[in-house]
Amino acid sequence: MDFLDAYHLWADAHAFFDSALVPRPAAHADPLAVQAARWESRLAEETPNGHLLRRNALFDALSGNGKLHLLHVTHALEEINRQGVLYPSGGCLVGSIYCAPLTASDEGFRMHNLGAYVLTKEAPAFLAKLGVTDRVPTPLIFEIDTPPQAYRGLAGVDYLRLGLIHLEIYSHLEYLLSKNERHRLRETVVSRVKNSAVFLATASAVTHQGAHVEADAFLGLLDETIPRLPILGYLYFEAVAEYLMLHSTSGHTRRLAELGELNNWLYKEMLFASFPAMAGKFDLARFRPGPKRLAGLIRSVDPTVDAGHASAYVVERISFLVAARLFAPGEVPDAWHHTRWEFDSLATQLGPLLGHLVHRELRTFGRYPDFYFYFDQHKALQAWNYWNHMDIVAPFNGTMPKGEVGINPAYPDLDYRVWRAEQDADGHLHPAEELALTIAPRLVDIKYTLMRNNQWTAPHAA
């Protein structure tokens, strides 16, 4: 399986992305088809900010003609200039240069609120945490000339859907591990799933059988399970972030909505207020606020949000995401007491979950930094192949149109210019110095520390 074959599993999955590239499966072929349609309607039509899922500043920029302006934040400009090369990294945008949109105006470039948060709050907090005083976050402005043949639709990357791709890549490259390492990895993954069967069965019952589970009980069980299934921390975070962005009615949220932007400050503030060590790393496996803590976090971030309603929503949403992202397509695992707890058998029904777990486990192997290029570069190659096949210059994070957009580093004849930017007193960015930089289609080496990486890091897939 490659990205092109797996397209229907992860990209443009939601109706509000207005994609007609891939026909939807018939309802009888997909036990989640009806629920997926209900969720699309519920999110887009029954929330205060749902209209932004279909029409927003990010989509307007990506589907427009002419020049595309993007903000990239770096804390290693001196090294980048010395090398003359900017490398992509892995994460939610797989293998692209992590950016946020810029809007040109007579006063300069206005930053999307996501980019403004990264530049003014997140990046400085990360440097301060490390005690670094000789560097400052530097904004770079990319101007991309969109070629006439570029795809004008909307193609997102939903990193939560990459489980089967992770599993397939491992099946091709597992020979890089020793026999003992392969055995240990498989046994570890199976044990993690087996010891998490209660939560998986609960989520399946909520989604497929309409079972009612009290929010405190469900979130408590989720909290216990995340250490065994780290991908659940990512699902948990995305569900809460989604709720906050769609349901907030604060003045700040309303002002951003008028600009066509979802309010990213909500989940950023929630995340870094509760997990300050997350700045710059985004290891969302650490995101596991318990039931009582979640309600307090939500109230502290935005008093306009109903914490009780949010908790009930999160139960339903996470249960759906577990079934839709972690179970094999078309599978409805049941009769857990009859499950054959063996890797290949589990892959039939829980292949995406196993893929996420394998990918996570590989990152903890002592020799994995030496294999990073092969595993994650292989995934990036598939992404670049797909993007080039579709003439996609700038893919975006398709979990939600938050404003996270990447530059395809392997796009043929990519036409771009880049400037070091300066920010004025009103927050606008202005080109200050044009830089002679080349974007290279090769992932930055994992063996470099974050402070030596060429770019601000995006959230990493579990």
Side-chain angles (χ1 to χ4, degrees):
M1 176 184 295
D2 60 21
F3 269 61
L4 188 57
D5 294 333
Y7 179 76
H8 66 286
L9 298 179
W10 62 275
D12 267 1
H14 301 96
F16 45 70
F17 289 167
D18 294 330
S19 171
L21 291 177
V22 179
R24 289 179 173 274
H28 68 273
D30 180 2
L32 289 177
V34 172
Q35 289 198 50
R38 287 175 180 167
W39 273 110
E40 290 164 1
S41 175
R42 178 177 175 180
L43 297 180
E45 300 171 11
E46 301 175 20
T47 62
N49 305 309
H51 62 283
L52 293 172
L53 295 173
R54 292 191 172 124
R55 183 68 184 270
N56 55 70
L58 172 64
F59 287 0
D60 289 346
L62 293 177
S63 59
N65 295 315
K67 298 184 184 299
L68 176 64
H69 293 100
L70 300 174
L71 164 68
H72 174 75
V73 178
T74 181
H75 41 58
L77 182 60
E78 182 178 340
E79 182 173 348
I80 292 173
N81 277 331
R82 184 171 62 252
Q83 295 178 345
V85 180
L86 188 65
Y87 294 104
S89 69
C92 67
L93 291 171
V94 182
S96 60
I97 306 297
Y98 184 81
C99 298
L102 289 171
T103 301
S105 72
D106 293 338
E107 292 77 29
F109 287 99
R110 182 182 65 79
M111 292 184 284
H112 189 282
N113 74 92
L114 169 68
Y117 191 96
V118 171
L119 177 62
T120 63
K121 302 197 70 174
E122 185 175 347
F126 176 60
L127 294 178
K129 183 184 69 175
L130 294 180
V132 175
T133 59
D134 61 342
R135 302 188 187 205
V136 295
T138 305
L140 302 181
I141 295 175
F142 278 87
E143 180 181 87
I144 300 173
D145 285 314
T146 307
Q149 73 276 13
Y151 177 56
R152 302 296 176 183
L154 299 166
V157 180
D158 185 346
Y159 73 94
L160 298 177
R161 293 175 176 264
L162 296 179
L164 282 179
I165 292 173
H166 288 150
L167 187 61
E168 187 70 15
I169 291 174
Y170 172 71
S171 71
H172 285 304
L173 299 179
E174 62 178 342
Y175 66 85
L176 293 173
L177 301 176
S178 70
K179 181 179 179 180
N180 288 338
E181 286 175 326
R182 294 197 300 270
H183 176 75
R184 177 161 58 93
L185 185 145
R186 286 178 166 237
E187 289 296 306
T188 299
V189 167
V190 170
S191 176
R192 286 179 176 274
V193 176
K194 182 177 181 179
N195 292 325
S196 305
V198 172
F199 175 80
L200 295 173
T202 300
S204 182
V206 171
T207 299
H208 292 291
Q209 301 168 25
H212 174 73
V213 181
E214 291 295 331
D216 282 2
F218 182 93
L219 295 176
L221 183 57
L222 172 65
D223 179 64
E224 295 173 6
T225 310
I226 288 174
R228 293 189 294 274
L229 305 182
I231 184 63
L232 293 179
Y234 292 74
L235 266 62
Y236 192 2
F237 169 77
E238 294 294 350
V240 175
E242 176 184 90
Y243 186 89
L244 288 170
M245 287 186 286
L246 292 178
H247 289 83
S248 171
T249 56
S250 70
H252 185 211
T253 298
R254 290 197 301 269
R255 288 190 293 274
L256 291 175
E258 292 174 357
L259 298 172
E261 300 177 10
L262 289 165
N263 186 354
N264 289 263
W265 287 53
L266 295 166
Y267 67 83
K268 291 280 191 179
E269 289 289 291
M270 177 194 66
L271 186 65
F272 298 127
S274 55
F275 303 96
M278 199 89 70
K281 295 183 179 179
F282 253 92
D283 181 4
L284 294 175
R286 303 181 193 176
F287 184 77
R288 43 179 298 208
K292 293 182 175 56
R293 191 180 181 198
L294 176 63
L297 284 175
I298 289 175
R299 281 192 290 266
S300 67
V301 169
D302 190 342
T304 71
V305 174
D306 184 334
H309 184 265
S311 295
Y313 171 97
V314 167
V315 171
E316 293 183 67
R317 188 60 173 160
I318 290 178
S319 295
F320 174 78
L321 291 175
V322 166
R325 305 292 183 262
L326 304 185
F327 297 168
E331 293 289 335
V332 185
D334 55 12
W336 294 87
H337 57 290
H338 289 152
T339 299
R340 183 180 177 186
W341 299 106
E342 189 269 334
F343 189 91
D344 292 332
S345 296
L346 286 178
T348 301
Q349 290 190 313
L350 299 171
L353 174 58
L354 264 62
H356 283 296
L357 290 175
V358 165
H359 186 249
R360 182 84 185 188
E361 287 297 323
L362 285 173
R363 286 163 57 183
T364 67
F365 271 52
R367 295 191 300 133
Y368 182 61
D370 297 319
F371 300 150
Y372 173 80
F373 173 83
Y374 298 103
F375 283 98
D376 277 28
Q377 185 75 24
H378 191 78
K379 182 172 63 175
L381 285 170
Q382 293 190 43
W384 300 337
N385 176 53
Y386 167 72
W387 293 336
N388 288 348
H389 176 84
M390 295 297 298
D391 266 315
I392 295 169
V393 178
F396 68 94
N397 181 0
T399 57
M400 284 277 285
K402 299 173 183 176
E404 295 176 314
V405 58
I407 300 173
N408 173 6
Y411 191 82
D413 301 318
L414 184 64
D415 189 0
Y416 60 92
R417 299 173 69 187
V418 57
W419 293 266
R420 177 181 62 81
E422 294 179 352
Q423 187 177 11
D424 65 23
D426 295 321
H428 292 94
L429 295 180
H430 302 270
E433 174 190 6
E434 186 165 4
L435 305 176
L437 296 182
T438 300
I439 296 176
R442 186 190 189 283
L443 295 184
V444 68
D445 197 320
I446 196 175
K447 288 184 282 188
Y448 284 88
T449 65
L450 282 173
M451 284 307 301
R452 293 187 65 191
N453 281 354
N454 286 357
Q455 65 171 9
W456 192 250
T457 54
H460 287 283

